[in-house]
Amino acid sequence: MMGERTVMQEALFYSFRIEDHVPQDHLLRSVDRFVDLTGIREHLKPFYSSTGRPSVDPELMIRMLLIGYCMGIRSERRLCEEVHLNLAYRWFCRLDLEGSVPDHSTFSKNRHGRFRDSDLLRKLFEMTVERCMREGLVGAEGFAVDASLIRADVHRQRSVPGEEGLPPEVAGRAVAEYLEVLDDAAFGAATPVEPKRVSLTDPAARWTAATRDAAFYSYSTNYLIDLDHAVIVDVEATTSVRQAEVLAQRRMIERTQERFGLWPEKLVADTAYGSAPNLAWLVEDKGIEPHIPVFDKSARSDGTLARSDFTYDAEDDSYLCPGGKRLRPSNRNFKAPRPLANADGFIRYRASQKDCQACNLKQLCAPRTATRKIVRSVHEGARDLARDISKSDAYLVSRRQRKKVEMLFAHLKRILKLDRLRLRGPNGAKDEFHLAAAAQNLRKLAKMRPMPGLATA
């Protein structure tokens, strides 16, 4: 017999607990164990008035933001809808069935005000690092650093050539933030090279063609991770140029040492961080072993003798060529002493013209010049150390470990859906990068420290 449609009738009383309807293996249950926001209120207290109407609970907003970044919900409008409907999200936010969800505009208001004024999202990220340290997930024996391009929320066509600059009528919050960071070495002052194009919507975003895709506007998120369990120990937002990314590496290492007392023995990175000044900073200033390929353009492709064919004599401060002759920084005596190194920190070693003209290797060594020149950095000692490390077995291990930071970027873009920014301006990029890094650390904690009694994969 065919059943009849039942009509839902409201009961007078319900015996209902949200706790009973959230699965024990739900991700947010594992994450919730490591979220301690007891210090949030005290941190924000100076930024609230002692009178007036009570505001939305800041802990509720932070918990909602953590849900959004942990679960890959990019829209705050959709986040409010999901928290309203999803029982697990309500449980994580400490909302009962009658608890009201704040309007999406509340997040924007607080983000541009109290959250940024108090640097709250930075504090939230550092809280996750401290928890990872307490759980024993940070060994601090080795760090890895890298940067990844994140598309900015702008249209490619709404821009002007870089040499023209911004029109005077362009205004907005993102433009004001761009003007504030013009002298910041991580943004406007990172390089004297003008970008090919400047966005009218978000001028601080950098026009880049670093990928195989069509050129686009982007920011760079920089990660400093611990190699033991790939915990993100620091994050920095910069413009998408190599100089800014190297500066971010220095800032993150110094901040990690000052904030958490972490002093790594080695740093693993790619060739972008292998410049002579950066290697010298790591070796001489910080005492960190650079497991980094040396940024070196001395190799030749025309078959002539390369710099590696010459032997450096440290005691005599000269190079010995394959023909047995010396190349020195100076072959003349000047009345007024001249600096040996140029403005870029390189010393040029030159052979005497008499030796080169009489040498049988002249055509193989310097076929188009009168004499042979060898360029040596003032930081060559640090470069030589990096070259020696690159020949060791430990370096091969480091090459494999460096993939951990690349996997974090893949997780950031594929799982957390942060392949394109939603907020604009340098501050918007910082906010999103801090929240995303905090979410990744919390998910790492949930994975490495699973719920008691649950089987692990």
Side-chain angles (χ1 to χ4, degrees), residues 291 388-400:
H291 288 233
D388 293 340
I389 292 175
S390 67
K391 301 174 184 177
S392 64
D393 294 338
Y395 182 81
L396 298 178
V397 176
S398 298
R399 291 292 89 196
R400 293 194 295 269

Side-chain angles (χ1 to χ4, degrees), residues 170-333:
V170 176
R173 181 180 287 109
V175 175
E177 292 180 8
Y178 163 73
L179 297 176
E180 291 178 359
V181 298
L182 280 178
D183 297 328
D184 188 347
F187 287 96
T191 174
V193 179
E194 291 183 350
K196 186 175 181 180
R197 302 197 66 81
V198 176
S199 170
L200 299 177
T201 308
D202 189 356
R206 189 81 179 187
W207 178 260
T208 178
T211 66
R212 296 180 180 178
D213 300 331
F216 57 93
Y217 291 98
S218 71
Y219 286 91
S220 285
T221 178
N222 299 264
Y223 277 4
L224 182 68
I225 72 165
D226 180 79
L227 289 176
D228 277 5
H229 295 93
V231 172
I232 305 170
V233 295
D234 209 340
V235 58
E236 183 84 359
T238 64
T239 188
S240 299
V241 296
R242 183 176 61 85
Q243 296 89 332
E245 294 167 359
V246 172
L247 173 68
Q249 164 233 274
R250 298 189 182 188
R251 288 182 177 178
M252 290 189 294
I253 290 177
E254 290 179 338
R255 189 163 49 212
T256 302
Q257 291 175 344
E258 178 183 354
R259 181 68 181 85
F260 306 112
L262 299 177
W263 295 76
E265 298 177 4
K266 67 177 181 180
L267 180 70
V268 181
D270 57 24
T271 313
Y273 301 86
S275 62
N278 189 54
L279 293 174
W281 181 83
L282 290 171
V283 175
E284 299 169 7
D285 295 353
K286 295 299 179 181
I288 300 174
E289 290 186 1
H291 288 233
I292 304 173
V294 178
F295 188 77
D296 191 356
K297 294 185 177 181
S298 62
R300 295 191 171 189
S301 58
D302 57 358
T304 58
L305 297 177
R307 190 180 67 176
S308 58
D309 297 317
F310 294 72
T311 304
Y312 180 70
D313 186 349
E315 295 183 358
D316 188 57
D317 189 23
S318 63
Y319 276 94
L320 185 65
C321 77
K325 303 300 181 180
R326 296 278 178 177
L327 285 75
R328 302 185 183 279
S330 177
N331 293 316
R332 297 172 57 187
N333 294 324

Side-chain angles (χ1 to χ4, degrees), residues 392-431:
S392 64
D393 294 338
Y395 182 81
L396 298 178
V397 176
S398 298
R399 291 292 89 196
R400 293 194 295 269
Q401 289 177 325
R402 195 180 70 84
K403 296 179 181 179
K404 292 183 178 181
V405 66
E406 296 176 351
M407 292 174 65
L408 281 173
F409 290 138
H411 180 270
L412 176 71
K413 296 177 181 180
R414 294 179 180 270
I415 307 301
L416 303 190
K417 311 298 184 184
L418 190 57
D419 56 343
R420 182 187 178 97
L421 290 171
R422 185 177 54 81
L423 306 179
R424 293 173 179 170
N427 288 331
K430 293 177 183 177
D431 292 347

Side-chain angles (χ1 to χ4, degrees), residues 96-111:
D96 57 23
L97 289 179
E98 297 181 353
S100 60
V101 178
D103 187 76
H104 67 87
S105 61
T106 306
F107 293 95
S108 178
K109 178 68 175 179
N110 283 273
R111 182 190 308 113

